[in-house]
Amino acid sequence: MTAARILAEITFNAAGLVPAIAQQHDTGEVLMMAWMNRDSIAETLETGRVCYWSRSRAALWRKGETSGHLQALVEMRLDCDGDTLLLLVDQTGPACHTNRRNCFYRAVRDGDLVTIAKPEA
Amino acid sequence: MTAARILAEITFNAAGLVPAIAQQHDTGEVLMMAWMNRDSIAETLETGRVCYWSRSRAALWRKGETSGHLQALVEMRLDCDGDTLLLLVDQTGPACHTNRRNCFYRAVRDGDLVTIAKPEA
């Protein structure tokens, strides 16, 4: 698959990045949000395994490469403005580096932040 | 509700913004992604109606103020790094300005972008 025609429709920010939301394809659970650049998008489309761009490491971030917590790409979607991606994925193990299934485990309840999920065993 | 203790946990970017993913609370549908600043978060928590920051207009964007397509906040969540919000909402009407239910109506299929949802009648 050539990624060129897909990349042409994406609006990257000044840093050459676009935010990507990862959603578990069958349950609808929003797992995480990370950033992608042209290379990581092209690699993801080619391999079917999600690869982000790590802003902190300034390097390609092949999700699960060290942890084994891979994200298999089911479908990539693009929003109306072309500046946000939605990745429907099949997540192996926890998506979050805290070992939780997803990264959004803190909820605002009664004016405070409450932790609503535990790390997996 | 005072938003101060929530805002203290959020990492804003250099422009003072944080990305916010809106998800329909009961179906799990990812509706859109937009940006919030301190004022829009405080207003959203206070009113229970989602208010973003419009980067193009450089102004508070009270979602649905003109269209009537309001987002009632069900719960605000924060990710592990504190730099992305997940808004569980109850969306009235379409979330997208194209009159589609959600903004992610273009999918990569067979190497091309395919429109997978029609505007609502």
Side-chain angles (χ1 to χ4, degrees):
Chain A
M1 175 190 296
T2 172
R5 67 175 69 186
I6 311 302
L7 291 169
E9 296 295 324
I10 300 175
T11 300
F12 294 89
N13 71 11
L17 304 177
V18 62
I21 303 159
Q23 181 182 33
Q24 176 64 31
H25 74 103
D26 48 2
T27 66
E29 181 180 7
V30 175
L31 300 169
M32 57 181 286
M33 200 284 277
W35 295 79
M36 302 181 91
N37 68 356
R38 290 176 175 273
D39 287 349
S40 67
I41 293 169
E43 177 170 317
T44 297
L45 290 173
E46 188 178 324
T47 65
R49 289 186 176 182
V50 178
C51 172
Y52 298 103
W53 176 256
S54 168
R55 295 177 300 169
S56 58
R57 291 187 288 111
L60 289 175
W61 167 24
R62 296 181 177 91
K63 176 74 179 161
E65 191 173 39
T66 54
S67 65
H69 300 153
L70 298 166
Q71 291 181 341
L73 182 69
V74 175
E75 186 163 272
M76 180 182 290
R77 294 184 187 165
L78 182 59
D79 79 344
C80 51
D81 296 326
D83 63 0
T84 305
L85 300 177
L86 178 65
L87 308 176
L88 302 182
V89 303
D90 191 14
Q91 171 73 49
T92 298
C96 185
H97 75 287
T98 67
N99 221 36
R100 291 174 173 88
R101 176 73 185 167
N102 75 70
C103 296
F104 299 95
Y105 58 83
R106 296 187 288 171
V108 179
R109 293 182 182 174
D110 297 327
D112 211 345
L113 268 181
V114 180
T115 297
I116 58 171
K118 292 179 181 176
E120 298 193 359
Chain B
M1 174 190 295
T2 172
R5 68 173 67 186
I6 311 301
L7 290 170
E9 297 295 324
I10 299 175
T11 300
F12 294 90
N13 70 11
L17 303 177
V18 62
I21 302 160
Q23 181 181 34
Q24 176 64 30
H25 73 103
D26 48 2
T27 65
E29 182 180 6
V30 175
L31 300 169
M32 57 182 284
M33 200 283 276
W35 295 80
M36 301 181 92
N37 67 356
R38 291 177 174 273
D39 288 349
S40 68
I41 293 169
E43 176 172 318
T44 297
L45 290 173
E46 187 179 323
T47 64
R49 288 185 178 181
V50 178
C51 173
Y52 299 102
W53 176 258
S54 168
R55 295 178 299 170
S56 57
R57 290 187 289 110
L60 290 174
W61 167 24
R62 296 179 178 91
K63 176 72 179 162
E65 192 174 37
T66 52
S67 66
H69 301 153
L70 297 165
Q71 290 181 341
L73 182 69
V74 174
E75 187 163 88
M76 181 182 289
R77 293 185 187 165
L78 184 59
D79 79 345
C80 50
D81 297 324
D83 64 0
T84 305
L85 300 176
L86 178 65
L87 308 176
L88 302 182
V89 304
D90 192 14
Q91 170 74 50
T92 299
C96 184
H97 76 286
T98 66
N99 221 38
R100 291 175 173 86
R101 177 71 184 171
N102 74 70
C103 295
F104 299 95
Y105 57 83
R106 294 186 289 170
V108 179
R109 293 183 181 173
D110 297 326
D112 211 345
L113 269 181
V114 180
T115 297
I116 59 172
K118 291 180 182 175
E120 298 194 358

